[in-house]
Amino acid sequence: MTDAQTAAERIAQLRSELDAHNYRYYVLDEPSVPDAEYDRLFRALKALEAEHPELVTPDSPTQRVGGAALSAFGEVRHEIPMLSLGNAFEETDLREFDRRVREGLELPAGDLLGHGGAPVEYSCEPKLDGLAVSLLYERGQLVRGATRGDGSTGEDITANVRTIRNVPLKLHGEGWPAVLEVRGEVYMSKAGFEALNAKAMETGGKTFANPRNAAAGSLRQLDSKITAGRPLEFCCYGIGRVEGAIAPSHTESLQTLKRWGLPISRELKKAQGVEQCLDYYRDIGARRASLAYEIDGVVFKVNDIGQQRELGFRAREPRWAIAHKFPASEELTELLDVEFQVGRTGAVTPVARLKPVQVAGVTVSNATLHNMDEVARLGVMIGDTVIVRRAGDVIPQIMQVVSERRPADARPVQVPTHCPVCGSEVERTQLVKRSKGRESFSAGAVYRCVGRLACQAQLKQAIIHFVSRRAMDIDGLGDKIVEQLVDKGLVASPADLYTLTYDQVFALDGFAEVSSQNLLASIADSRRPTLARFIFALGIPDVGEETAKLLARTLGRLERIARALPEVLTYLPDVGAEVAYEIHNFFEAEHNREVIAALLKNGIELQEEGDLHPEFAAYASLPDLLDKLNIPFVAATGARNLAERFGSLEAIVAADWLDLSALKGLNEKARKSVRDFFADLAKAAHARAIEAQLRDFGMHWESEKKAVEGLPLAGQSWVLTGSLEAMSRDLAKDKLEALGAKVAGSVSARTSGVVAGPGAGSKLAKASELGLKVLDEAQFLALLRGFGVEV
Ligand code: 5U1
């Protein structure tokens, strides 16, 4: 309140602001400020009204709940008003509530902290972030659903609530009263919300800022068919109109409702006194991020219905219940600037610099903006007031711009033309789509600095990744030391780590004799990495630990991985075209080859598995290869017909127009396309190179497949794990292969069976998890004998 403003003026201003927010929140489902800001304005108004009771009017937002009902829905009068809850934000607020309850019930006070005296029994439930609704059951049938509206009058949403899958249309069991009105929250789970938004993004539909908005927008649809397609859920937390009493306590009432088929919270608990309430608050708070739905606090209610009656109501809030809110996870702040950070792969990412603000108990001054598509989606400008959200340990995000508050001097966010770290050019990535032999390009959302290891930012990140625990695992090389090494020019590529001298390390800040020796020892210890670790450490874009392990396990040698053609890489399980091209391009780049050569020269000794793994040697067929060549207008059937007619790639390459014309299963356009494709010498050579590499890498070719066809385990993939007593693992493998099976090194959903001897570990666990057939040694021997194999 400014000096010039009177209390009456400030009250009027607050009311009009709150009314505007209420309208957007309750009527339009488009909140313009986070709950925390609304709560602040509300509390400010309440405090002023408490100071000036003569200024309280019945139309003040403090005197009613929510906004007016939408006129397009029918009106429903709540015979028993739908109340709101008082809020506790601090521990002391809750203790104060407990004190008032005890005073109201004329219970002994206990000490100052409320200890001692008979504890009040409370019921505890999470406070779901959704919409309060009332459901009316007459003779066990759902006859009406209504929103809370302003607490006295709501909207008739019967058709919509009937579509919510966990709302019973008819009560179960027996003994329910002839008239039963229940109350609860309609909400959307986090997973349901993500799926809804993902679908909307795919189809160009409207996305929602959070699950609450999504639930509100879905429930208040005039067309209930739309509501039916939305993943809404209901959770019952109370009773409205009822003929007779249901149970003597709140928790018993809810358990009874549950028996009648109404969903209640799985977190419903009883607490004896305020201390146990606080324990519950802390426990739910710690698990908040892992709950399937969003909550903004917990609700405590005096459990005994008789005591509830004794306590009664104050204005529109029960004296026997309170919401203990969690610190707000959304807040308003100002976007001061957008800076661009350069990552390990050179991606230049916008980062929001914010006016520091407390969100969920933590000061937030930066938020991720992901990429320029996100900046465009948000429509954010520097100087804007934005809503930031912090959920669990996730990096804070900008959720929305408060466009009404955009200042006149707001500036657009612009990608720098040159890298802020090294000054190299920044280029926009292109998305390459390869389909049917054609490549099409579209602009990507990511911008990249072209400086690579010459860019200090990329170099530092690359080295931090290279030395990390899951990569080369060099202990004692923290981010700050990497920075020093790079800044002092001692390390210009990961290979330089292996030529560092004692004197160079000793001269770094914070290093003494022992620490210098220790660091050099851990660098030396990392000289014999497994191939998988080394591949991961190289930091190939899109190649995480699992892909690195797969490459090492299947191809066995760095040399093979480095020369693998993208089409050949796509024969590996879970390697798609995009990743295959990233891997191929990485090893094609001269500077990457130089770094790898320098690492090997500086003493890296790779622990390679050597052999090609049978997992790779899946059967290749000619149609499969033709399909990977992406010949325009030749789909799977055409590829099969071509392969059947000509029998080998060479014969297809050599086919002339007459040969092709005689082929029935291919239309004119496709035949011409085949002719043109192989007339292109480069394409023909590439096709031959793929075929040759597949053979070189030990791929069983279709013709060889014929030899195993008809064998009892043909087409099956088996895994051996643990030790076997009757024979060596190698012999067991031979026996399985003799029956036509492939023997793979890892368990996947495609595994046909697992033989697990004593000592089997993670592979057995994974097989059980996937519900695969698992044989112990005796069962395995019986299987072999059953097929007439000598054991
Ligand atoms: N879990 C829960 N949420 N909630 C909201 N219980 C609960 N009770 C409420 C409200 C508004 O009100 C009753 C205490 C009347």
Side-chain angles (χ1 to χ4, degrees):
M1 185 163 44
T2 61
D3 288 340
Q5 216 175 15
T6 63
E9 282 166 350
R10 178 64 181 146
I11 284 176
Q13 186 196 356
L14 285 167
R15 283 180 188 163
S16 105
E17 271 191 70
L18 283 164
D19 271 335
H21 292 320
N22 256 342
Y23 177 74
R24 293 196 56 162
Y25 190 86
Y26 286 109
V27 181
L28 301 182
D29 295 328
E30 278 172 4
S32 50
V33 291
D35 292 352
E37 167 84 351
Y38 182 91
D39 285 341
R40 244 191 318 270
L41 297 171
F42 195 85
R43 270 179 284 151
L45 177 60
K46 261 188 143 177
L48 266 176
E49 287 181 348
E51 269 178 48
H52 303 276
E54 74 286 1
L55 295 175
V56 177
T57 56
D59 65 351
S60 168
T62 59
Q63 306 301 301
R64 67 187 177 102
V65 184
L70 281 176
S71 55
F73 287 106
E75 278 193 359
V76 170
R77 272 205 75 75
H78 299 298
E79 272 184 42
I80 299 179
M82 288 187 77
L83 304 171
S84 57
L85 286 167
N87 290 324
F89 293 95
E90 309 288 338
E91 203 174 301
T92 47
D93 299 339
L94 192 69
R95 290 188 191 286
E96 182 52 28
F97 163 75
D98 180 56
R99 194 200 55 73
R100 289 194 305 268
V101 166
R102 301 167 68 83
E103 195 178 80
L105 295 174
E106 295 178 7
L107 293 173
D111 65 18
L112 274 179
L113 286 173
H115 296 139
V120 175
E121 182 171 272
Y122 292 103
S123 76
C124 320
E125 292 161 76
K127 187 169 183 305
L128 294 173
D129 214 356
L131 274 97
V133 299
S134 139
L135 303 179
L136 182 64
Y137 288 87
E138 282 177 1
R139 284 176 297 283
Q141 302 279 344
L142 175 67
V143 294
R144 197 197 68 194
T147 61
R148 176 162 63 180
D150 65 3
S152 308
T153 309
E155 298 145 4
D156 188 334
I157 50 158
T158 311
N160 291 353
V161 292
R162 284 177 70 92
T163 70
I164 301 175
R165 274 165 281 295
N166 73 343
V167 167
L169 298 176
K170 186 169 177 296
L171 294 180
H172 303 193
E174 51 196 35
W176 20 262
V179 175
L180 171 69
E181 186 208 349
V182 296
R183 285 157 182 196
E185 205 84 354
V186 167
Y187 66 99
M188 199 176 279
S189 69
K190 292 174 190 169
F193 163 71
E194 299 289 346
L196 180 66
N197 264 2
K199 204 161 107 199
M201 230 114 83
E202 237 175 69
T203 55
K206 178 182 174 199
T207 56
F208 293 96
N210 56 45
R212 194 208 161 273
N213 287 8
S218 302
L219 192 60
R220 290 173 62 246
Q221 287 286 340
L222 289 167
D223 179 357
S224 59
K225 280 201 215 75
I226 299 179
T227 312
R230 303 282 172 85
L232 291 175
E233 290 170 57
F234 173 68
C235 179
C236 184
Y237 59 64
I239 295 171
R241 236 174 92 201
V242 64
E243 278 179 12
I246 288 181
S249 72
H250 177 68
T251 46
E252 285 167 286
S253 303
L254 289 186
Q255 295 298 351
T256 307
L257 295 182
K258 187 176 174 185
R259 281 200 294 281
W260 292 338
L262 287 156
I264 63 166
S265 173
R266 297 209 301 187
E267 306 289 345
L268 175 69
K269 290 225 164 61
K270 283 193 285 194
Q272 310 301 327
V274 69
E275 294 308 326
Q276 287 188 9
C277 288
L278 287 166
D279 288 346
Y280 181 86
Y281 174 82
R282 285 187 279 264
D283 172 56
I284 296 278
R287 292 191 290 117
R288 184 179 179 189
S290 61
L291 292 178
Y293 41 81
E294 293 211 336
I295 59 173
D296 57 358
V298 294
V299 179
F300 299 118
K301 294 171 191 159
V302 171
N303 200 25
D304 186 285
I305 307 283
Q307 289 185 331
Q308 286 187 4
R309 286 210 189 94
E310 235 178 283
L311 287 161
F313 303 91
R314 193 185 129 265
R316 311 208 97 191
E317 288 170 10
R319 285 204 180 89
W320 42 267
I322 193 158
H324 191 180
K325 296 283 218 65
F326 291 130
S329 57
E330 287 189 355
E331 266 299 350
L332 274 184
T333 191
E334 197 186 317
L335 178 63
L336 299 176
D337 201 0
V338 173
E339 286 174 12
F340 286 83
Q341 265 177 6
V342 187
R344 172 163 64 82
T345 57
V348 175
T349 315
V351 179
R353 301 289 176 224
L354 303 167
K355 189 164 163 201
V357 62
Q358 285 280 316
V359 189
V362 169
T363 306
V364 170
S365 43
N366 302 314
T368 173
L369 276 165
H370 302 292
N371 55 44
M372 290 308 287
D373 278 4
E374 176 71 356
V375 171
R377 190 186 71 80
L378 289 165
V380 68
M381 291 174 82
I382 297 163
D384 269 340
T385 295
V386 293
I387 299 177
V388 275
R389 181 182 181 80
R390 202 187 136 253
D393 290 334
V394 184
I395 307 168
Q397 292 209 324
I398 293 186
M399 304 303 293
Q400 203 181 311
V401 173
V402 184
S403 35
E404 302 94 288
R405 297 202 190 173
R406 173 163 290 165
D409 60 351
R411 288 181 288 127
V413 179
Q414 263 166 350
V415 187
T417 54
H418 290 84
C419 173
V421 179
C422 71
S424 300
E425 259 177 56
V426 168
E427 61 184 26
R428 188 166 191 172
T429 52
Q430 287 192 316
L431 294 179
V432 188
K433 209 168 150 222
R434 293 177 179 84
S435 176
K436 295 289 143 211
R438 264 178 271 195
E439 288 187 343
S440 55
F441 298 90
S442 57
V446 176
Y447 288 75
R448 255 195 191 123
C449 157
V450 300
R452 299 209 174 91
L453 294 188
C455 171
Q456 300 242 319
Q458 289 181 64
L459 175 61
K460 284 176 188 168
Q461 293 301 318
I463 292 182
I464 289 169
H465 172 77
F466 185 83
V467 305
S468 63
R469 200 169 56 79
R470 308 182 93 91
M472 299 295 275
D473 191 19
I474 302 180
D475 213 20
L477 246 179
D479 299 4
K480 290 273 167 285
I481 302 162
V482 172
E483 287 205 358
Q484 281 195 67
L485 289 170
V486 171
D487 291 343
K488 291 194 158 98
L490 296 172
V491 168
S493 108
D496 295 338
L497 292 171
Y498 294 91
T499 53
L500 283 175
T501 63
Y502 175 86
D503 290 344
Q504 286 172 330
V505 175
F506 187 79
L508 297 174
D509 290 347
F511 276 85
E513 233 170 80
V514 177
S515 46
S516 305
Q517 276 157 2
N518 285 347
L519 178 56
L520 289 173
S522 12
I523 293 175
D525 284 349
S526 74
R527 275 179 198 274
R528 291 169 55 80
T530 60
L531 179 57
R533 273 185 183 273
F534 184 75
I535 295 287
F536 177 57
L538 291 176
I540 306 167
D542 285 349
V543 174
E545 232 182 324
E546 287 313 312
T547 307
K549 280 183 190 160
L550 174 78
L551 289 169
R553 185 173 73 225
T554 50
L555 296 181
R557 282 190 186 285
L558 178 64
E559 166 272 321
R560 275 194 208 112
I561 300 169
R563 70 183 164 93
L565 295 166
E567 293 84 349
V568 170
L569 289 168
T570 60
Y571 275 88
L572 295 175
D574 300 330
V575 174
E578 294 288 330
V579 180
Y581 276 90
E582 287 288 8
I583 297 168
H584 180 71
N585 293 345
F586 181 90
F587 288 105
E588 282 284 284
E590 191 54 37
H591 63 277
N592 290 331
R593 287 170 182 270
E594 281 168 14
V595 171
I596 293 169
L599 279 162
L600 299 175
K601 182 171 152 275
N602 290 353
I604 294 289
E605 282 174 45
L606 290 177
Q607 303 303 297
E608 297 177 305
E609 297 188 17
D611 287 345
L612 270 158
H613 200 279
E615 196 180 342
F616 175 75
Y619 300 101
S621 67
L622 186 54
D624 210 13
L625 172 61
L626 292 171
D627 196 41
K628 283 190 195 288
L629 291 177
N630 272 326
I631 306 168
F633 312 114
V634 178
T637 324
R640 242 192 338 270
N641 291 336
L642 256 180
E644 229 163 66
R645 162 73 182 78
F646 292 99
S648 72
L649 179 70
E650 214 35 65
I652 300 172
V653 177
D656 61 19
W657 181 239
L658 269 181
D659 295 329
L660 285 169
S661 303
L663 183 58
K664 292 274 171 302
L666 219 56
N667 64 28
E668 175 91 7
K669 215 168 173 182
R671 276 186 237 140
K672 280 194 177 142
S673 175
V674 173
R675 181 196 58 189
D676 296 347
F677 188 90
F678 290 110
D680 181 331
L681 292 183
K683 283 186 176 152
H686 188 61
R688 284 198 187 97
I690 297 170
E691 193 198 25
Q693 191 168 74
L694 284 170
R695 286 185 188 284
D696 178 25
F697 282 8
M699 185 73 93
H700 295 296
W701 209 246
E702 176 100 303
S703 52
E704 294 149 29
K705 185 178 171 183
K706 299 255 184 315
V708 293
E709 256 168 26
L711 290 175
L713 301 185
Q716 297 197 9
S717 167
W718 282 71
V719 173
L720 296 163
T721 179
S723 57
L724 298 175
E725 277 177 13
M727 65 182 84
S728 68
R729 285 253 292 265
D730 277 349
L731 190 59
K733 179 170 174 255
D734 288 348
K735 298 215 182 261
L736 281 168
E737 283 174 351
L739 289 169
K742 282 196 297 143
V743 178
S746 65
V747 173
S748 75
R750 281 186 274 177
T751 305
S752 319
V754 175
V755 178
S762 60
K763 288 180 194 171
L764 175 58
K766 181 149 186 213
S768 318
E769 199 180 292
L770 292 170
L772 301 176
K773 175 163 69 186
V774 178
L775 305 185
D776 62 18
E777 181 163 5
Q779 290 167 321
F780 172 56
L781 296 179
L783 175 96
L784 294 180
R785 282 194 202 100
F787 288 125
V789 177
E790 250 178 61
V791 287

